[in-house]
Structure formats: C-alpha cells, structure tokens
Amino acid sequence: EADIYQTPRYLVIGTGKKITLECSQTMGHDKMYWYQQDPGMELHLIHYSYGVNSTEKGDLSSESTVSRIRTEHFPLTLESARPSHTSQYLCASSETGDLNIQYFGAGTRLSVL
Amino acid sequence: GQQLNQSPQSMFIQEGEDVSMNCTSSSIFNTWLWYKQDPGEGPVLLIALYKAGELTSNGRLTAQFGITRKDSFLNISASIPSDVGIYFCAGHRNNDMRFGAGTRLTVKP
C-alpha cells in the first residue's frame, strides 16, 4: 500500500481563481511527479522533481507551477484557473535508483466553471 | 515524447473468460510495469518486471517482459466483475517512464 496523499479529492471552482493541489508522501521518496489525465485517457507528465529545490517541466506543457521545499511535499499551483484546466491531476512518487516504481495518489478531479 | 502502443483499446468479456493485453514500443526498456486504475482513483501497481524474458504472476494475473525488451503482455485468467477498470502498461529506461494509453476492461456478469 502506497502512502501518498492528495487533497482535495474533488474541486469545483470559478474561472480566474488561484488554486493549489496538495500532494504528500511518507515514504521518503526523492522523486515526485504530477500527471494530468482526462477521464479514461492516458497519463501526461506535466512536472517532476528529483529532490528538494529541484523541479522540471514534463512532456505536456502546463500553465501550472510546482515547488519542492520539503522532500515529502510537492504542491501544484494554478494562478488563474480556466475551463481548459478541467481534468484529473495525479501525483506520484518513486525511489531513486533503477527500479523506479511509481506509486500514485488517488488524484484530484478539478472542474473549472 | 514517445508513448507506448497498448492494445486492445477496450475489451468486453463475459465473467470467467481469460483476457490478454499487450504493450509494444520501438525502444528498449529496462523495466516494465502494469497498473490498474479504477474510476476516480489513481493507478495501482499490479506487477513489475525487471529482466527480459521474465514471467511473473500475481494471483490470476500473469505478465511477461518480452525477450527483445520492447514489449510486454498481461493475462488475466477467469475474470471476475471486480477486474473492471483501465489497465496501463509502463516502460522505464534511464530516468524516463512512458505509459500506454490504457486498455479499458468491461466484465459482464
């Protein structure tokens, strides 16, 4: 059982609002990831981090930003939400090393009206 | 970036039937992983494969790491209604993880 938590699970907000999606893991993993996934579709990597103060953009361009001030915490922020940001956001973490099994949180389903 | 080619895209089967799905790539991977995702939840790891030719089972699930390191398959035997969900393959190589587009499985009682 993976110990990675995302909050909120569901969020409905109006256009232009600033939001932060929280992700925390208690496994001491150095690597953390954010994926964007439309319902029933493939996962697209939008951000990743290999450790504290390290953040990189993923394959899919995103207007969101991330920070990694603590090992266990990897929040994602949207400064001004738009309807095009409506999606499911999944956070994952993995150990450093060759195995690199990614463990996922339950996701945040975001709806921007 | 390059994604994996996962097939079939969807399957509709009768309870009790066996299921097979696969993932292929033009690139070599060092690790193959299979995940299952229930609606509204995050993917959960089912099986991890680390060596070419490796065959691993987890209950009714069996997965193999292709000998060429460019493919993997997942079999589910004697399907049950709770097998419903989306199954994703993932390949890992040099700090790079790629996911397939998923196989949506529906099991009719």
Side-chain angles (χ1 to χ4, degrees):
Chain A
E1 193 79 17
D3 295 321
I4 180 164
Y5 308 100
Q6 289 186 244
T7 58
R9 288 294 314 276
Y10 305 94
L11 181 61
V12 181
I13 60 168
T15 297
K17 298 290 186 184
K18 177 181 177 179
I19 61 166
T20 296
L21 308 185
E22 301 288 348
C23 177
S24 295
Q25 51 95 5
T26 59
M27 297 172 282
H29 289 168
D30 287 325
K31 297 181 180 179
M32 296 189 74
Y33 313 82
W34 277 103
Y35 291 87
Q36 185 172 340
Q37 183 189 32
D38 290 330
M41 303 297 287
E42 58 197 291
L43 287 76
H44 294 283
L45 181 68
I46 52 175
H47 298 282
Y48 62 97
S49 166
Y50 284 167
V52 171
N53 294 325
S54 150
T55 61
E56 302 287 344
K57 290 190 179 295
D59 301 325
L60 182 67
S61 175
S62 174
E63 293 166 342
S64 58
T65 59
V66 292
S67 62
R68 190 88 183 276
I69 299 172
R70 304 196 317 264
T71 297
E72 62 271 22
H73 195 213
F74 192 39
L76 180 145
T77 298
L78 275 166
E79 290 293 332
S80 179
R82 296 205 302 264
S84 61
H85 296 138
T86 295
S87 189
Q88 173 155 270
Y89 293 83
L90 291 164
C91 180
S93 72
S94 69
E95 294 179 354
T96 300
D98 293 338
L99 298 184
N100 196 52
I101 294 175
Q102 292 189 17
Y103 296 95
F104 286 84
T108 294
R109 186 176 293 279
L110 173 65
S111 294
V112 184
L113 306 178
Chain B
Q2 179 202 350
Q3 295 291 94
L4 303 179
N5 299 311
Q6 186 171 349
S7 65
Q9 190 173 21
S10 60
M11 300 183 74
F12 296 83
I13 63 169
Q14 206 71 38
E15 182 178 358
E17 289 182 355
D18 297 344
V19 172
S20 184
M21 59 192 78
N22 68 77
C23 221
T24 62
S25 172
S26 57
S27 300
I28 289 172
F29 288 97
N30 298 326
T31 304
W32 283 93
L33 306 170
W34 285 92
Y35 290 87
K36 183 192 177 203
Q37 185 177 27
D38 292 327
E41 299 292 330
V44 174
L45 181 70
L46 298 173
I47 292 180
L49 302 157
Y50 302 113
K51 292 195 306 186
E54 179 181 356
L55 185 72
T56 297
S57 293
N58 178 7
R60 294 177 296 106
L61 277 61
T62 301
Q64 184 157 30
F65 192 142
I67 198 73
T68 65
R69 296 167 63 194
K70 295 182 180 180
D71 62 325
S72 177
F73 72 75
L74 175 71
N75 286 343
I76 305 173
S77 62
S79 59
I80 59 178
S82 62
D83 290 335
V84 164
I86 302 178
Y87 292 79
F88 289 98
C89 63
H92 176 250
R93 167 189 77 239
N94 299 335
N95 279 329
D96 185 32
M97 178 86 90
R98 299 288 161 177
F99 286 87
T103 295
R104 183 185 296 273
L105 178 64
T106 302
V107 180
K108 293 178 282 188

